[in-house]
Amino acid sequence: MATAIITGVTGQDGSYLAEQLLAQGYRVVGLHRRLSADNHWRIAHLQAQLELRSVDLLDQGSLLDVFEDVQPDEIYNLAAQSFVPTSWRQPILTGEVTGLGALRVLEAMKRACPSARLYQASSSEMFGAAEAAPQTERTPLRPRSPYAVAKTFAHYSALNYRDAYGLFVVCGILFNHESPRRGLEFVTRKVTDAVARIHLGLSDSLSLGELSVRRDWGYAPDYTEAMQAMLRQDSPRDYVVASGKDHSVEDLVAVAFGVVDRDWRDHVHIEPALFRNNELPGLCGDATRAAEDLDWAPKVDFETMIDIMVRADIERLDCGS
């Protein structure tokens, strides 16, 4: 039985990854930060099968203790402060958790289990104001938010530990990926939750910022499958994971309202206060390397993903949860 450690197991990606690995017969040890409020709703259906350990990425000793005890075959570092607007309000915390937290994971691996394989969650936000489109593994990084800067630090730390110590470390440069388990603060869930509320008569409007912003959106369970494939290669290599198609926020809104046969223009209001600092006008990824090496391609397209999310939010709200 192979053993995997997942940091950030209570998040969207962590929950899908844990689900998939457990189905493959893995022993899965999920690391989470102890909070006063329970945030385990994404993994509630898995908790009987998971081993949960309370660890803080700010505490090197707690990471080292767990890695020494578990001796994992695979490590997936998914933990981060991942909401870009929060990174502007809390840049130091974002740097500590998202940037230095990854370095602490790498150092714990080097000391406790150097023969393990590690996946580092990098981000398309690192490309920032990209000088080329679509973005590939060779596109220069130009981060434009504290979150993106922290992810870039983590990314280069992973590359340095791989080169300097011969560790099996891969970086997945994932473009935006969504699902019904996405946090409500992210624009996709903000939209699908609002559409569900309007459909059920619980609300009548939705306030948004800039509608012209474009992103390459994919379905989270597809992307966690790519993470696993990266660690199962003969040698470590970094990969862009993306759909290769970009859509605007306006496209997102139109598709979501279309699921319930409504015209979005009757409900959406533009709120200037919601415009972001240093907003990136557009990102779109080229996952050719992943297709060639990993035989990976997204299974769920943009429209289907939004349909899944809207219907899941309707069901959740209709059940009163």
Side-chain angles (χ1 to χ4, degrees), residues 236-252:
R237 201 178 187 195
D238 308 317
Y239 294 91
V240 162
V241 179
S243 75
K245 298 177 182 179
D246 65 332
H247 298 273
S248 67
V249 175
E250 183 175 327
D251 295 336
L252 161 65

Side-chain angles (χ1 to χ4, degrees), residues 87-88 91 94-95 98-100 125-126 142-156:
S87 79
W88 286 104
T94 300
T98 305
L100 286 172
E125 289 284 325
M126 301 186 307
R142 299 175 64 187
R144 294 187 68 190
S145 70
Y147 167 73
V149 169
K151 276 293 186 183
T152 302
F153 175 87
H155 180 79
Y156 281 125

Side-chain angles (χ1 to χ4, degrees), residues 38 40 58 76 89 96 98 100 135 139 159 173 175 199 252 262 273 288 298 308:
D38 184 4
H40 291 186
L58 304 184
Y76 295 87
R89 294 191 296 270
E96 282 282 357
T98 305
L100 286 172
Q135 292 83 47
T139 302
L159 303 190
I173 307 172
F175 280 65
H199 174 69
L252 161 65
R262 288 178 181 259
T288 299
I308 290 170

Side-chain angles (χ1 to χ4, degrees), residues 213-235:
V213 172
R214 304 185 71 85
R215 289 291 185 272
D216 183 331
W217 277 298
Y219 190 48
D222 290 345
Y223 286 40
T224 52
E225 289 180 356
M227 296 176 189
Q228 299 167 59
M230 291 179 210
L231 286 193
R232 294 168 190 171
Q233 298 303 292
D234 292 335
S235 57

Side-chain angles (χ1 to χ4, degrees), residues 100-316:
L100 286 172
L103 181 59
R104 294 184 186 100
V105 169
L106 289 160
E107 183 64 16
M109 174 194 181
K110 176 175 74 75
R111 295 186 187 185
C113 48
S115 62
R117 297 184 170 203
L118 184 143
Y119 170 87
Q120 169 58 31
S122 293
S123 168
S124 61
E125 289 284 325
M126 301 186 307
F127 293 123
E131 62 184 33
Q135 292 83 47
T136 73
E137 294 82 3
R138 295 183 179 87
T139 302
L141 306 182
R142 299 175 64 187
R144 294 187 68 190
S145 70
Y147 167 73
V149 169
K151 276 293 186 183
T152 302
F153 175 87
H155 180 79
Y156 281 125
S157 295
L159 303 190
N160 273 279
Y161 268 64
R162 179 169 73 201
D163 294 342
Y165 302 113
L167 302 177
F168 195 109
V169 176
V170 302
C171 294
I173 307 172
L174 271 57
F175 280 65
N176 294 60
H177 46 289
E178 319 297 322
S179 75
R181 299 181 192 173
R182 188 60 139 157
L184 286 167
E185 67 272 24
F186 290 89
V187 68
T188 47
R189 270 304 300 290
K190 180 179 179 178
V191 168
T192 62
D193 176 73
V195 169
R197 291 179 184 278
I198 291 167
H199 174 69
L200 295 171
L202 303 174
S203 178
D204 188 53
S205 64
L206 167 63
S207 295
L208 291 172
E210 178 58 65
L211 298 186
S212 65
V213 172
R214 304 185 71 85
R215 289 291 185 272
D216 183 331
W217 277 298
Y219 190 48
D222 290 345
Y223 286 40
T224 52
E225 289 180 356
M227 296 176 189
Q228 299 167 59
M230 291 179 210
L231 286 193
R232 294 168 190 171
Q233 298 303 292
D234 292 335
S235 57
R237 201 178 187 195
D238 308 317
Y239 294 91
V240 162
V241 179
S243 75
K245 298 177 182 179
D246 65 332
H247 298 273
S248 67
V249 175
E250 183 175 327
D251 295 336
L252 161 65
V253 170
V255 171
F257 275 94
V259 175
V260 296
D261 296 319
R262 288 178 181 259
D263 187 333
W264 67 270
R265 286 163 291 210
D266 295 334
H267 303 281
V268 173
H269 305 287
I270 304 304
E271 178 55 63
L274 296 177
F275 284 46
R276 288 185 181 179
N277 294 335
N278 256 13
E279 180 63 271
L280 309 178
L283 291 170
C284 186
D286 179 350
T288 299
R289 179 186 287 183
E292 293 175 348
D293 289 6
L294 311 178
D295 193 27
W296 180 88
K299 301 171 186 173
V300 176
D301 64 21
F302 175 75
E303 291 78 12
T304 303
M305 177 187 72
I306 299 304
D307 185 277
I308 290 170
M309 293 173 67
V310 169
R311 295 184 190 282
D313 277 324
I314 290 172
E315 181 179 0
R316 172 180 61 87

